[in-house]
Amino acid sequence: MTDTTTLSATETLIRHAWDLYDQEPAAPHADSLRTAVWHLEEAVDYGSEALPQRGREVVQALTLATGDEVDELLAPMPGVAAWLGL
């Protein structure tokens, strides 16, 4: 079962990732980001045990897309960082 803290963190991460994707859908690594977000959304929809792994994949795709370090990327999203243990 997925708790409300996890859902809030995943919603924040998904929203952030889609916002970035929508800014530059043709940018390098945009396809990887889109795919990672889709997988995370599916994991949420189906209550998958792979939810944290899918979240980490989105974070990895975001770092590739932005060139930011993980700590820089997650600084404005402390709930996501706590959920993923990053």
Side-chain angles (χ1 to χ4, degrees):
M1 176 113 195
T2 306
D3 63 32
T4 55
T5 302
T6 299
L7 287 177
S8 177
T10 56
E11 290 169 2
T12 299
L13 183 57
I14 289 167
R15 191 175 330 112
H16 180 78
W18 279 132
D19 287 347
L20 180 68
Y21 176 82
D22 288 341
Q23 291 174 20
E24 296 284 340
H29 305 291
D31 289 340
S32 297
L33 178 58
R34 183 185 66 230
T35 300
V37 178
W38 282 345
H39 289 163
L40 178 57
E41 287 179 328
E42 287 177 347
V44 170
D45 290 346
Y46 295 108
S48 172
E49 295 293 324
L51 199 56
Q53 177 60 34
R54 296 300 184 202
R56 287 185 199 91
E57 290 169 2
V58 171
V59 170
Q60 181 179 20
L62 282 166
T63 61
L64 290 172
T66 64
D68 290 342
E69 295 292 328
V70 172
D71 58 339
E72 295 171 320
L73 180 73
L74 294 178
M77 299 182 285
V80 173
W83 166 57
L84 297 175
L86 300 171

